[in-house]
Amino acid sequence: MTHGWPGSIFELLKVVGPLTDPTAHGGTAGDAFHLVLPSLPGFGFSEKPKGTGWNPERVARAWDVLMKRLGYTRYVSQGGDWGAIISDAMGRQAPSGLLGIHVNRVERSTTIPPEIAKALRSGDPAPANLTAEERAVFDEARAFLKTGFGYAAIMGTRPQTVGYGLADSPAGLAAWFYDKLADWVFTRGEPERVLSRDEILDNITLYWLTNTATSSGRIYWENNAVGNKLAEIVIPAAVTVFPGEVYRRRRAGRRGRTAISSTITAWTEADISPPGKSRISSAPSCVPLSGPCVDRCIATGTSR
């Protein structure tokens, strides 16, 4: 399982119990997994890259090497945020032993057709032939790019500049991270409704004590440098969509360029458990899509 930014392996700790000991959480012994929770290169506990080239494609290849060095000849990959992009890359690379992927976020660059992406970037009006649901996706994406994407533009072009500022000020680092948590955690600006103050501070402190504010930001620059990768995913893949995602791909808009053999789970706000309660035994049913290979699409709902 792979984390994202400004997250760390800390954000995955609460799933360790339910996934490794499901009988204690309402599941059965046959549902148990071994978990490997690696820290992304340049994030927290991992080494800071000494050169360029550590983009999601390279991390994906490294994760396959890691799993095989640990002795796993068959495994699956799961991720959110950058972890989803890395799992997506693993799905396209399809190394031997990778049985499938699951993500809880989809990337706009692989699901928005080029002509629509161009309109989003340029500020042009939405194409007239969009359905109502596709227009809703367009409007949401435009709003996010206009009001919530500045951090990525900075880190994608000047990660060293902003990184040195964050490395110099713990208050600045905390503000930079907390702003994104307030945007992305589905609590309408109050992340403490889901995450305790200690959990938030633990994550920020990890970046501060390991001095990885600068090195973690480089993945944005590295990803921009390689551009979009739109090869088909031919292994089994699944997407879970939660309420509140910054980009929500609608089921009606099946114009994505990346094809996957997919299973979709749609969650609504009513499906989200109160903090501390497990939904393992009562999660909504997955909805299999027909055909061996379908366009990437998402049901309603999500959270990074």
Side-chain angles (χ1 to χ4, degrees), residues 55-58 61 85 88-93 107-111 222-233 257-259 296:
N55 53 64
E57 302 289 320
R58 184 172 177 181
R61 293 192 295 270
I85 296 172
D88 180 276
M90 295 182 75
R92 286 183 277 103
Q93 294 168 6
E107 187 67 3
R108 292 179 305 279
S109 62
T110 59
T111 58
E222 295 282 8
N223 193 53
N224 286 347
V226 297
N228 294 334
K229 302 293 184 181
L230 300 177
E232 290 189 354
I233 295 174
R257 295 172 59 87
T258 303
R296 166 168 289 160

Side-chain angles (χ1 to χ4, degrees), residues 2-3 38-51 53-56 58-60 62-63 86 207 212 214-219 222:
T2 309
H3 64 86
S39 185
L40 285 169
F43 286 66
F45 294 115
S46 71
E47 182 64 62
K48 300 172 188 176
K50 294 180 173 60
W54 279 98
N55 53 64
R58 184 172 177 181
V59 176
W63 273 196
I86 290 163
Y207 279 82
T212 49
T214 305
S215 55
S216 64
R218 292 183 192 136
I219 195 169
E222 295 282 8

Side-chain angles (χ1 to χ4, degrees), residues 9-94:
I9 59 172
F10 288 172
E11 71 190 44
L12 303 174
L13 294 181
K14 288 182 178 179
V15 305
V16 173
L19 291 180
T20 61
D21 185 16
T23 56
H25 298 268
T28 64
D31 296 329
F33 288 87
H34 288 186
L35 290 185
V36 176
L37 311 178
S39 185
L40 285 169
F43 286 66
F45 294 115
S46 71
E47 182 64 62
K48 300 172 188 176
K50 294 180 173 60
T52 59
W54 279 98
N55 53 64
E57 302 289 320
R58 184 172 177 181
V59 176
R61 293 192 295 270
W63 273 196
D64 180 60
V65 173
L66 170 67
M67 294 303 292
K68 287 169 180 171
R69 284 182 178 177
L70 292 174
Y72 293 100
T73 58
R74 300 168 71 249
Y75 67 96
V76 297
S77 176
Q78 195 282 332
D81 192 65
W82 282 110
I85 296 172
I86 290 163
S87 291
D88 180 276
M90 295 182 75
R92 286 183 277 103
Q93 294 168 6

Side-chain angles (χ1 to χ4, degrees), residues 19 149-151:
L19 291 180
F149 200 62
Y151 78 97

Side-chain angles (χ1 to χ4, degrees), residues 10 17 33 63 102 111 139 148 158 185-186 188 200 234 276 288 295:
F10 288 172
F33 288 87
W63 273 196
H102 173 272
T111 58
D139 291 343
R158 297 292 188 274
V185 175
F186 185 54
R188 297 180 174 86
I200 294 172
V234 295
D295 285 343

Side-chain angles (χ1 to χ4, degrees), residues 43-206:
F43 286 66
F45 294 115
S46 71
E47 182 64 62
K48 300 172 188 176
K50 294 180 173 60
T52 59
W54 279 98
N55 53 64
E57 302 289 320
R58 184 172 177 181
V59 176
R61 293 192 295 270
W63 273 196
D64 180 60
V65 173
L66 170 67
M67 294 303 292
K68 287 169 180 171
R69 284 182 178 177
L70 292 174
Y72 293 100
T73 58
R74 300 168 71 249
Y75 67 96
V76 297
S77 176
Q78 195 282 332
D81 192 65
W82 282 110
I85 296 172
I86 290 163
S87 291
D88 180 276
M90 295 182 75
R92 286 183 277 103
Q93 294 168 6
S96 63
L98 178 61
L99 304 181
I101 67 168
H102 173 272
V103 298
N104 51 282
R105 176 183 183 245
V106 288
E107 187 67 3
R108 292 179 305 279
S109 62
T110 59
T111 58
I112 294 180
E115 67 275 12
I116 298 179
K118 181 180 179 181
L120 284 170
R121 290 193 301 269
S122 66
D124 291 342
N129 63 340
L130 297 184
T131 67
E133 286 192 304
E134 288 172 336
R135 178 57 190 263
V137 171
F138 183 93
D139 291 343
E140 288 176 359
R142 170 157 287 173
F144 175 67
L145 291 173
K146 184 177 181 180
T147 64
F149 200 62
Y151 78 97
I154 294 171
M155 295 170 71
T157 54
R158 297 292 188 274
Q160 296 288 125
T161 303
V162 68
Y164 286 140
L166 299 177
D168 191 56
S169 169
L173 178 68
W176 190 254
F177 282 13
Y178 186 88
D179 173 69
K180 303 328 301 172
L181 290 175
D183 262 1
W184 296 338
V185 175
F186 185 54
T187 53
R188 297 180 174 86
E190 301 177 61
E192 290 96 335
R193 287 172 51 196
V194 173
L195 303 170
S196 71
R197 183 166 295 184
D198 279 347
E199 287 172 335
I200 294 172
L201 289 174
D202 283 348
N203 191 64
I204 294 170
T205 303
L206 174 63

